[in-house]
Structures are given as structure tokens and as C-alpha cells.
Amino acid sequence: MSEPAIEIQNLTKKFEDKTALDNLNLEVSKGELFGLLGPNGAGKTTTINILCGLVKPLCGTAKIYNHDVQKETRQVKELIGVCPQETAIYPYLSGDENLELFGNLHCMNKKLLRERSKLLLATLGLKEDAKRVSAKYSGGMKRRLSLALALIHDPQVVFLDEPTVAMDPQSRHAVWDFIKNQKNQGKTVVLTTHYMDEAEELCDRVGIIDHGKLIAEGSPKALIAERQVKNLEELFIKLTGRNIRGEP
Amino acid sequence: MKLQRIAALAKKELKRTIREPAVLFIIFLFPIVFVFAFGTSFGGVGGAQTVSYHIGVVNMDQASNVNASQILVSALVNTKIINLDVYASNATAQSDLSQGNVQAVIVIPSDFSGSLASYQAFSNEPSKWTNTSVQLYLDKGSLVATQAVPPIIQQALASVAGQTRQLQIPFQIQTASLVETKVTSTLDYIAPGMFTFASIFLIMMVAQSFTTDRENGMMKRIRITPTTPSEFMASQVISYMCIALIQAALVFAMTYALGFRPAVGASSFSFAFVIVLTFSLSNVGFGLITATISKSASAATGLSFLFVLPQLFLGTFVGASLSSSAQVVGKFVPSYYVTNALSSLFLRGTAITTPAVLVDLAVVSISCVAILAAGIVLYARYYKI
């Protein structure tokens, strides 16, 4: 395995009496597109929240580019970009203004910010609507803008928490292309998704977690062959069961 | 602290105020509409009014065979634009003047009739006249009175001497002093409280802004960026101070349009803006406390009234009509001191360096910084910034 971008060791997190992460160990290489899969409440978002420095673990360590996420928060925040599960944009700002704001929060210089903003808006099909307030965007457009906000400062490590949820097939494929493009640029991408075809299509490797534990890890093809299943979805059901889960 | 981040977040908050209709209404339109409604209801705006001046007369004249003071009083009454109140003592007249019951007081001197007699006896020999002065006290708060009353009195004095226009006569007007008035019009009285009133609604806006950003994940999103808590809070304080400044300017423009004309200098106006801006810090603080105890933006709207109403009823123009015990309680809210300082400046013409005004500023500054600090600490304890 090449140089690690993300190293997680013995990570444990509890919310009151519920164990969200149970001694999780994981490593993601630089330039890898890694899929973090699991049923609702399995611990995917908690893992990302810990890696972003939003949540403190009970024990264990997590490092990004060799920076401890708890002790070197400032360095970590400069390296990462996060597209959260919810569509988090300022509805009273235009697409352009949302990007400008987040670029400024990363202290980008004006010229670079303008160029990067133009590129992202064009790539994600938002160029024509860049000056409209985002409250008037469709659901898919809002999701794409939310994705652009995560990438405005051209981060080395990108966390995408269910980035294509509630998107039409066109938008979904545009986002897939965009994610592939990030990988081609050498970025490390961690993707959480409930769409197994998405994981199979995009990810170099996937990790399936359930009840806070990593229960399978490897490339989709290798996992499918190893467990003798038709596809990743069948593997997922086989490993995590058919019981419907609730959010934590 | 990076100025780029602070400026970007402050700019974002200002855009929110302008672009979200509900926020725009509460922050800017509501105070303006309220001031307009109140001003037109109580300020006597609109409609032609007959011009008349209410003047007090203190007659000290010791009339002999010539009763000059009676001639002067008749001359004033004949102008049809002066209503006279005769006072037995100068002290009573001065008291009424200071309370705004009359716009001017004339004190006719004891040798007034003697002076007229000397004029009548030696009209062509000024050196033989007994010269005297009529004392005139004017209401400093009434620009109209200070401009219009002296020429009318001068005209009346000329007519006492039998002249139709002002020629050389033995009695002159001596403008003793400009007296500050305590009460002018209802609008003048409520205007200082209105400046305070507008800013109070920032509490609701701050609480809504924080809870909405928390609900829609924006607070979390900002926390993922390298923005520090102090940069974030500085941006919020700056943006809300800007909003408070615009509010105060709009409310002043509206009260001015309705006839509010405090006869004070630029320093008093500057002081007024400073104290309103300082006051806005407490509203950001109360907003943060509201956001801390509110689970959602809609809850924040309701809970913000816990802080809005006491500030509104106990510390603005509403407070004056409350019971004495409620007025005592009012001394525990910062808005009371803001309104008090503004009333001293605009109603009583007090200088900004007087101890009473400075004490008000000190109380507002200390309490508002303390409330803001409490708000930040509380919010940061329960929700990460």
C-alpha cells in the first residue's frame, strides 16, 4: 500500500449508552477513492465527523496526512473538504456568493478564488445560475452547489457524505464524473453512500461497517469474488442482514 | 484573526438581513412603520395649525400716572398670535418655562412706566430718558420661539413708545438666557426611546440566525473550515453593530421627517450613535442566550420575547407610563440607561460630558459587554462555534 492519507487506529465513540464506533481501524492511501458503506446508524457519519474534528472520540487516534485530527485541527482543516449529508448552503446567497464566502473562509486569494469558482460552477452545471440566489435552485442543483463548496479550496482529502442522495440520474452521473476527476487529480476521496452501484462504479476499495465495527474491507471486485456474490448489494445484505435500521 | 474571514462572514450576515423578507421587515421596516405610526399619532404631524406663541408676563412695573406695562400687554395681545399668561412671580414663570408650558417669559422692569414717562416728556432729548431693559427668557428647545418671539416683543415695545417701527426708544430687550425645556411635544418625548426600541429586535434576529444555521448544517460547515471561534463571533458582532447603526440612522430620519428637531450639536448625535451601538452588543448577547436555550429557529422566535419584552417595556418610551415600581425594575435593563442618556441629550440639552450622561454610558458599556460575554460563553458551552 502506498503512503497513507488517513490512518484510523482503535477509534471508539459512544453517544450516551450507544456505541457508535467500536475499536475501528482503517487506512486510506493517498489518491485512493474509498467507499465507506454501512446501514443507517452504522457509524459512517460519526467516522467522518471525527476525521473533520467535529466530534471527539472516546479513545483511539485518527490522522490525516500524518496530522492528528484532535491535536492539529488547524492543519487538518486546511487539508480537508467536506460535503455533508444535508444540503448545507446559504439560501439567500447566490451560487457564486456561496463559493466566494467559503473561499474567503479558506483565505484564498481573489484571483484564484474567481478561477476556481468558475471552474466548479461550469463542471457541476451551475454556470448559468451562478448569479441566482440558491433558494431558487432545484434540489439537485443545491446538492451540486453543496459539493462545490466542499472543493472550492482544492483540498487534498475530500469527504463526501452521501453526495448523490435525491439526485436525478443526470445529476448523479455528472457528480460521478466529477468524483472520478478528483481521483484523477490525485485527491484522496472518502465516499459514504447507500447506493451500492455507485460504490461499485467509483471506489477503488470499500469498507463496510456495522455497529461501529469494520466487517469487510477490499476492492469491490475482490470482495464479490471472495464472498461469491453477484454484486456489492448482495454482499452488503449478506453481511449486515435484512433488518431495517433507524438513524442513531 | 484573519480579517478576510471576518469580513466575508459579516458581509454574508448583512446580505441575509437585506435579502430575507422576514428579517428585513423585523430589522428595518417594522421600526420605521412603528415610528411613523407613533409619530403621526402623537407628534401632531400634518394639518395646518394656527401659529401662536404662549408667553408668560411678569409685571414688576411700578406704574404712576403712565401705565406703560398695560400698554405693552395690550400691544402684545393685539398681535393676535400671542397668548399671554400673567405671573405674580418670576420663579413661577421660570418653572413653567422650563417645563415647556410657555415658550418665553417677559419680565417688565419696575422702572418701565417711569422710562416711558421720561420718553414722553423729553422725546427729542435721549440724554434725559430713563433707560431700562425688558428681560426676555426663551425656550431653548423651541427653534420657532427663539427666532420669532424677539422681533414681536421689539415691535410691541416700539408701539408702547408710539412708534410704528423700531426707532430709538428708551427700553430695550435684554435676552437674559435661553432656557432649556423639559417637555416639548409627545414625539420629542418618545423619540429617544424609539432609537433604543429599534435595536432590541436584534435579539430575535441573532437567535434566529444562529438556530437556523445550526438546523441547516451551516454552523457545522463553517466549523470544518479553518475559521476560528473568535473570528466567527467578531464577524457576528460587527455585522449586527452595522445593522444597529443603519437602524438608528433610519429611525432618526423618520423621527426627523415627523418633526423631531433636537436643538443639540453634532457631538450629541455622535454620542447617541455610540451608545446605541454599544447597546447592540447586549442584544447580540441576549440573542446568543436565546439561541442556546432554543432547539429550533421557531422556538427562538418565541423565546426571544423573554428578553425583548422587558427591554421594550421597562427601558424605552413605554417605560415612562409604567408604575413607579416597574420603573425601578427598569433600572436593571440596559435599555433604560440608553433611553435615559438619549433623553438627557435630546430633551434636556445636557452636554455629553455631564456626569449623569457619562454614568449612563458606563452602565450601558459594562452591562452590555458582560451580557455579550455571557452569551458567547453559554453558547460555546452547549454548541460548538
Side-chain angles (χ1 to χ4, degrees):
Chain A
M1 191 181 256
S2 62
E3 211 179 334
I6 300 167
E7 297 164 272
I8 296 172
Q9 285 180 342
N10 307 320
L11 207 60
T12 300
K13 175 68 188 174
K14 285 187 179 184
F15 292 107
E16 294 171 358
D17 57 343
K18 185 175 171 19
T19 303
L21 290 181
D22 189 1
N23 210 27
L24 183 74
N25 288 284
L26 190 67
E27 204 170 286
V28 179
S29 303
K30 282 184 183 173
E32 190 177 21
L33 208 165
F34 186 84
L36 199 55
L37 312 178
N40 289 332
K44 305 182 297 292
T45 302
T46 303
T47 307
I48 290 182
N49 284 344
I50 290 173
L51 289 169
C52 301
L54 291 175
V55 172
K56 279 187 180 173
L58 187 66
C59 59
T61 57
K63 287 181 181 177
I64 291 177
Y65 271 59
N66 220 24
H67 295 292
D68 190 307
V69 297
Q70 295 300 312
K71 294 173 188 159
E72 298 167 277
T73 318
R74 190 179 57 79
Q75 289 91 331
V76 168
K77 284 179 176 178
E78 278 164 9
L79 283 166
I80 63 170
V82 183
C83 179
Q85 213 173 76
E86 62 271 30
T87 308
I89 55 173
Y90 284 114
Y92 46 85
L93 298 181
S94 67
D96 226 6
E97 289 168 337
N98 266 294
L99 286 167
E100 186 191 335
L101 169 64
F102 278 86
N104 280 320
L105 295 184
H106 285 282
C107 290
M108 292 174 74
N109 81 53
K110 267 190 178 178
K111 190 168 172 274
L112 185 64
L113 173 55
R114 236 187 342 258
E115 285 169 5
R116 183 87 184 140
S117 180
K118 265 185 184 175
L119 175 75
L120 287 170
L121 289 166
T123 314
L124 288 164
L126 296 167
K127 194 179 166 187
E128 303 298 315
D129 301 283
K131 302 286 177 201
R132 281 173 69 205
V133 287
S134 52
K136 293 182 178 170
Y137 285 10
S138 68
M141 288 165 79
K142 285 177 183 170
R143 291 292 303 167
R144 279 181 272 144
L145 178 60
S146 182
L147 180 61
L149 294 188
L151 298 159
I152 184 68
H153 57 295
D154 202 12
Q156 291 305 309
V157 180
V158 186
F159 296 103
L160 306 176
D161 200 354
E162 300 183 32
T164 59
V165 74
M167 275 188 184
D168 61 24
Q170 286 85 355
S171 293
R172 205 168 157 218
H173 279 272
V175 171
W176 283 8
D177 290 342
F178 186 76
I179 294 171
K180 284 175 190 168
N181 187 252
Q182 291 297 307
K183 181 193 153 42
N184 293 339
Q185 288 174 33
K187 312 291 180 195
T188 307
V189 182
V190 176
L191 171 77
T192 79
T193 181
H194 287 301
Y195 303 125
M196 295 302 128
D197 57 332
E198 186 168 282
E200 224 172 307
E201 163 83 20
L202 298 173
C203 300
D204 301 321
R205 281 194 314 132
V206 296
I208 300 175
I209 52 174
D210 198 14
H211 302 295
K213 284 179 187 284
L214 189 67
I215 54 173
E217 188 186 2
S219 76
K221 276 183 186 169
L223 284 173
I224 290 166
E226 185 187 314
R227 307 287 173 126
Q228 296 175 335
V229 288
K230 277 192 293 185
N231 52 35
L232 206 55
E233 184 144 345
E234 199 180 320
L235 173 70
F236 186 84
I237 296 286
K238 193 175 176 181
L239 290 174
T240 60
R242 289 189 173 273
N243 289 340
I244 295 170
R245 312 288 177 87
E247 291 291 346
Chain B
M1 283 221 268
K2 297 270 187 187
L3 201 62
Q4 189 176 354
R5 290 190 190 121
I6 296 171
L9 285 167
K11 198 171 147 190
K12 181 267 299 176
E13 204 57 38
L14 291 173
K15 281 181 179 168
R16 171 178 179 260
T17 309
I18 293 162
R19 291 182 186 174
E20 293 217 315
V23 180
L24 185 69
F25 178 78
I26 292 287
I27 289 286
F28 295 129
L29 298 183
F30 177 62
I32 291 171
V33 170
F34 189 87
V35 169
F36 179 75
F38 238 75
T40 48
S41 303
F42 300 106
V45 174
Q49 293 176 346
T50 307
V51 178
S52 65
Y53 306 104
H54 217 128
I55 293 177
V57 174
V58 183
N59 194 354
M60 313 288 280
D61 186 26
Q62 292 167 353
S64 50
N65 51 340
V66 181
N67 195 339
S69 54
Q70 275 306 316
I71 299 169
L72 176 62
V73 167
S74 300
L76 289 169
V77 170
N78 287 340
T79 61
K80 310 282 188 197
I81 56 169
I82 282 178
N83 297 319
L84 285 181
D85 276 348
V86 177
Y87 291 92
S89 76
N90 193 13
T92 315
Q94 293 299 324
S95 170
D96 268 11
L97 177 62
S98 67
Q99 290 175 55
N101 295 332
V102 291
Q103 290 164 297
V105 169
I106 308 166
V107 180
I108 302 173
S110 58
D111 56 355
F112 189 61
S113 287
S115 176
L116 179 61
S118 70
Y119 173 74
Q120 287 172 339
F122 307 102
S123 57
N124 295 321
E125 296 175 72
S127 61
K128 292 185 177 175
W129 296 345
T130 306
N131 290 317
T132 191
S133 297
V134 173
Q135 298 272 335
L136 177 62
Y137 298 85
L138 290 162
D139 174 358
K140 187 183 179 183
S142 171
L143 287 175
V144 176
T146 55
Q147 296 298 312
V149 172
I152 297 168
I153 306 294
Q154 194 67 57
Q155 191 66 34
L157 287 172
S159 71
V160 169
Q163 307 284 349
T164 53
R165 57 197 177 91
Q166 192 179 333
L167 295 169
Q168 195 178 13
I169 51 175
F171 13 80
Q172 303 300 325
I173 297 174
Q174 185 179 24
T175 306
S177 63
L178 295 177
V179 176
E180 290 162 9
T181 179
K182 283 178 184 165
V183 177
T184 48
S185 72
T186 310
L187 178 64
D188 290 333
Y189 186 72
I190 62 176
M194 283 178 166
F195 297 125
T196 318
F197 157 83
S199 177
I200 290 171
F201 286 88
L202 284 179
I203 296 173
M204 192 186 286
M205 291 305 100
V206 173
Q208 281 182 340
S209 172
F210 274 76
T211 45
T212 305
D213 283 358
R214 218 166 57 208
E215 277 181 320
N216 63 19
M218 291 316 292
M219 207 62 98
K220 183 173 149 188
R221 186 143 216 179
I222 287 174
R223 281 176 56 208
I224 294 167
T225 71
T227 309
T228 63
S230 49
E231 285 167 346
F232 182 77
M233 286 316 303
S235 73
Q236 298 299 297
V237 170
I238 288 169
S239 58
Y240 285 108
M241 284 180 90
C242 288
I243 292 166
L245 188 73
I246 299 167
Q247 274 184 325
L250 287 174
V251 170
F252 180 77
M254 180 51 80
T255 52
Y256 187 88
L258 293 171
F260 179 61
R261 303 281 193 281
V264 295
S267 60
S268 295
F269 283 109
S270 306
F271 183 93
F273 278 97
V274 167
I275 202 164
V276 168
L277 284 183
T278 311
F279 176 56
S280 69
L281 296 179
S282 75
N283 296 323
V284 176
F286 282 132
L288 284 170
I289 295 169
T290 309
T292 308
I293 58 176
S294 307
K295 293 281 179 203
S296 65
S298 52
T301 308
L303 287 171
S304 64
F305 281 99
L306 285 175
F307 300 104
V308 169
L309 292 179
Q311 296 258 56
L312 180 66
F313 282 102
L314 299 171
T316 66
F317 55 91
V318 187
S321 54
L322 295 178
S323 66
S324 55
S325 54
Q327 288 186 35
V328 171
V329 178
K331 292 185 178 177
F332 292 95
V333 295
S335 55
Y336 172 89
Y337 296 93
V338 181
T339 304
N340 198 43
L342 295 180
S343 299
S344 297
L345 294 175
F346 292 145
L347 279 176
R348 298 185 275 274
T350 312
I352 60 170
T353 49
T354 53
V357 174
L358 292 176
V359 165
D360 282 337
L361 178 65
V363 172
V364 171
S365 303
I366 294 166
S367 61
C368 291
V369 169
I371 292 165
L372 177 65
I376 293 172
V377 169
L378 261 178
Y379 191 86
R381 183 173 175 169
Y382 291 97
Y383 302 96
K384 293 271 188 281
I385 301 172

